[in-house]
Amino acid sequence: MFWLVIILIVFIFQAATILVLEFRNPAKAVAWLFILFCVPLIGFVVYYFVAQDYSKRKKLRKGGSRIFREMRETIWKQAHIVDEISQMPGDRYKHQHRLFNLLSHLSESPITGCNRSKVLTNGEEAFAAMLREMEKAEHHLHVEFYIFRDDVIGTRFQQVMIRKAQEGVKVRFICDGLGSHNLSWSFIRKLQDAGVEFHFFLPPLIATIDRRVNYRNHRKIVVVDGKVGFVGGINVGDDYLGQYPEVGFWRDTHVQIEGDAVYFLQCTFLNDWKLASGKRMTETPLEKLFPPHICSGGERIQILGSGPDQEWDAIQEMCFGAISVACERIYITTPYFIPDPALYEALKTAAVSGVDVRIVIPYQSDSRLVHLASLSYVEELLRAGVKFYQYRKGFVHAKVMIVDDLLATVGTANMDMRSFFYNFELTAVLFESSAIHRLLHDFERDLEECSQIEPQAFQQRSRLQKGGEILSRMLSPLL
């Protein structure tokens, strides 16, 4: 009896600790309490090392802001900043003052107006474009990926980085310590021996000891000489070329950008470099990192970052703001659909209001647990009028949103709570009609490879699957 009382007291203490520390996020608290109930003590140990530590989040934000302030003056002098709604393209924003004001104040990365973009709709096209621009590097080459594999395409990237470093180009390379944990040291040593500076972003052991294992850098960035940049959903690996038979065709979206928006891709990389290496690039003049641009295009583009280094959950707030003002259509492609309560209600409200809401998700996911959690959100949204489509040609990994003719987004963030609130993420917001229509064309073409989820058929799924969805839903804030 005595030991039962002790065990009960310990359990109550653990549960109370989680409730006190997570009182701002009830859904997350419920998820951790569920884990604690399933695996007492072990669940609390995992919570201690994995759960978000707000004091460290503030520390990361402080460091990032300091770096940005040192570059802000140079960037603002050279970039064409869109700070008035009259500067937005056409008359589409004539009655969208609230959305424009939201986007203008979300982060320290404003809308810029001197850009040119190119949408890249698969790994073959994106890799070819990245390697081609990397070959042109003359001063510096910055490369950052969540997953980087030492396979065929990874070796091609390695060869270009080695060759440019040997030519005297400053090559800096970051990989996430967890996403790229399989990258071999022999592969890394070849890069370092050639002069490439390489760092893992929060390696698992160090991150666990420092209680920052939950901070994953999910960004994919390439910046060439501060003039050309890339961002999107594509990591470096043969699977992104459809070379894995168990996955098949890999559908993804990336974007190439030239112009002032590249300044903010560069700034994000430099911030991540400081966090990964502990070094500031004082040896490189700012005019080399942020060179003046010859305005070759008039596209408006905004680069939004979110993560522990940011003051705002900018990507989630941009999505919510855009969805809230939609009048005609909201088209979303995402491999993982686990919306936070605000976005969930915004999508449901939009559909009930008559907006054409369509969401493309995979038919077969690379994570059974995440797939079940995604499906748990489908039934009620179907009743509200949201249309869901499952991509069957292979695996869809693109992270794209199109809202009316107002904007479209391409980036690294999935439509899930991990991307919105925990990971380091990056999204390009595109405002030009040509870019929006190109992504709209790609979306409509993807629908041809999808099967629509019919409400009546979906309701007939087995009790076992429904039970799995319920359990996965409880864990969804952590997935």
Side-chain angles (χ1 to χ4, degrees):
M1 186 67 178
F2 172 76
W3 287 110
L4 288 176
V5 172
I6 296 297
I7 291 171
L8 181 60
I9 291 173
V10 171
F11 183 84
I12 292 173
F13 170 78
Q14 293 172 354
T17 300
I18 292 174
L19 287 172
V20 169
L21 295 179
E22 302 297 341
F23 76 97
R24 297 178 185 273
N25 193 335
K28 185 180 173 187
V30 169
W32 279 111
L33 288 173
F34 176 68
I35 293 174
L36 181 64
F37 178 80
C38 293
V39 282
L41 187 60
I42 295 175
F44 189 74
V45 172
V46 174
Y47 172 79
Y48 177 83
F49 284 104
V50 172
Q52 182 168 308
D53 187 317
Y54 288 96
S55 65
K56 293 187 184 299
R57 179 173 175 130
K58 292 176 182 177
K59 180 180 178 181
L60 287 171
R61 283 176 172 172
K62 183 179 179 182
S65 297
R66 184 172 60 250
I67 294 170
F68 192 92
R69 282 195 299 269
E70 293 175 356
M71 304 170 184
R72 181 184 177 98
E73 185 176 349
T74 298
I75 296 173
W76 252 252
K77 283 181 180 179
Q78 297 176 179
H80 176 197
I81 307 299
V82 177
D83 52 9
E84 295 182 7
I85 197 169
S86 60
Q87 298 173 310
M88 295 300 286
D91 58 357
R92 288 170 287 149
Y93 275 80
K94 188 174 182 180
H95 303 292
Q96 294 294 346
H97 290 272
R98 287 182 60 194
L99 179 60
F100 178 80
N101 289 337
L102 172 67
L103 296 173
S104 299
H105 293 89
L106 268 183
S107 72
E108 294 178 300
S109 300
I111 301 170
T112 58
C114 187
N115 301 285
R116 183 170 59 187
S117 69
K118 181 180 180 181
V119 175
L120 309 166
T121 57
N122 55 60
E124 184 176 353
E125 188 178 4
F127 290 144
M130 284 188 273
L131 290 168
R132 182 171 56 249
E133 293 301 323
M134 287 168 63
E135 291 279 12
K136 299 177 184 177
E138 296 179 351
H139 181 265
H140 66 267
L141 174 59
H142 293 161
V143 180
E144 176 177 353
F145 284 96
Y146 174 64
I147 296 173
F148 197 102
R149 306 191 194 281
D150 50 3
D151 51 18
V152 175
I153 189 62
T155 300
R156 289 186 61 191
F157 272 76
Q158 179 199 49
Q159 291 169 346
V160 173
M161 286 189 280
I162 287 174
R163 184 160 54 251
K164 299 313 293 185
Q166 291 173 339
E167 293 174 2
V169 175
K170 195 68 174 178
V171 182
R172 300 178 178 95
F173 180 28
I174 308 172
C175 284
D176 183 76
L178 187 62
S180 300
H181 70 280
N182 286 326
L183 196 61
S184 69
W185 280 108
S186 61
F187 186 92
I188 295 169
R189 277 195 295 270
K190 286 183 180 179
L191 290 164
Q192 293 175 328
D193 290 344
V196 176
E197 293 187 51
F198 172 84
H199 288 281
F200 276 121
F201 191 98
L202 292 180
L205 180 59
I206 295 175
T208 301
I209 294 172
D210 203 26
R211 297 178 60 199
R212 289 191 286 171
V213 72
N214 207 34
Y215 296 105
R216 298 326 322 165
N217 193 320
H218 199 238
R219 293 166 178 162
K220 298 96 177 169
I221 303 171
V222 173
V223 176
V224 181
D225 290 338
K227 298 177 181 178
V228 180
F230 295 83
V231 67
I234 298 176
N235 292 291
V236 176
D238 289 347
D239 43 340
Y240 290 80
L241 292 169
Q243 299 299 314
Y244 286 19
E246 64 274 18
V247 176
F249 179 77
W250 191 288
R251 170 69 181 91
D252 220 321
T253 301
H254 227 64
V255 64
Q256 176 180 339
I257 300 171
E258 298 177 45
D260 292 345
V262 178
Y263 289 147
F264 299 95
L265 293 177
Q266 180 81 293
C267 196
T268 301
F269 177 89
L270 298 179
N271 188 19
D272 290 347
W273 181 261
K274 172 65 168 62
L275 293 174
S277 68
K279 303 174 184 176
R280 301 167 68 181
M281 282 181 262
T282 54
E283 78 281 3
T284 305
L286 285 180
E287 59 268 22
K288 291 293 186 179
L289 294 171
F290 302 98
H293 294 145
I294 299 174
C295 189
S296 58
E299 292 186 43
R300 279 70 167 175
I301 296 177
Q302 184 175 25
I303 303 297
L304 286 181
S306 65
D309 59 337
Q310 301 291 321
E311 289 290 339
W312 303 91
D313 297 314
I315 297 175
Q316 186 271 350
E317 291 165 14
M318 175 273 297
C319 290
F320 179 82
I323 289 169
S324 299
V325 303
C327 296
E328 298 177 9
R329 62 172 173 258
I330 301 167
Y331 292 170
I332 295 170
T333 301
T334 180
Y336 314 117
F337 181 71
I338 305 178
D340 67 285
L343 282 180
Y344 181 82
E345 291 300 325
L347 288 168
K348 186 167 67 172
T349 301
V352 171
S353 302
V355 178
D356 182 14
V357 183
R358 305 187 186 193
I359 301 174
V360 172
I361 59 177
Y363 177 71
Q364 290 185 333
S365 179
D366 59 347
S367 171
R368 178 65 175 167
L369 186 63
V370 173
H371 186 62
L372 287 172
S374 296
L375 293 177
S376 74
Y377 291 88
V378 168
E379 187 167 345
E380 187 175 350
L381 290 176
L382 284 173
R383 289 200 297 268
V386 177
K387 301 180 182 71
F388 281 89
Y389 300 84
Q390 292 183 303
Y391 190 80
R392 287 179 173 265
K393 185 177 179 180
F395 180 60
V396 62
H397 190 254
K399 303 100 164 45
V400 173
M401 182 177 71
I402 306 166
V403 177
D404 293 346
D405 288 324
L406 290 174
L407 60 81
T409 67
V410 177
T412 70
N414 301 304
M415 188 65 65
D416 66 7
M417 286 182 265
R418 169 157 292 280
S419 287
F420 290 145
F421 304 122
Y422 308 128
N423 287 344
F424 293 80
E425 302 281 3
L426 199 64
T427 287
V429 186
L430 311 175
F431 301 95
E432 209 65 32
S433 294
S434 58
I436 295 172
H437 291 160
R438 167 59 193 275
L439 290 167
L440 181 60
H441 170 75
D442 290 345
F443 186 89
E444 292 172 343
R445 188 174 58 183
D446 288 340
L447 289 181
E448 298 174 2
E449 306 291 346
C450 294
S451 59
Q452 186 172 355
I453 298 179
E454 299 294 343
Q456 289 184 343
F458 188 72
Q459 291 174 2
Q460 301 304 313
R461 65 200 188 281
S462 68
R463 290 182 178 179
L464 180 62
Q465 178 169 326
K466 290 180 180 179
E469 291 173 9
I470 291 171
L471 294 177
S472 301
R473 176 72 168 264
M474 294 182 68
L475 296 172
S476 61
L478 310 179
L479 298 179

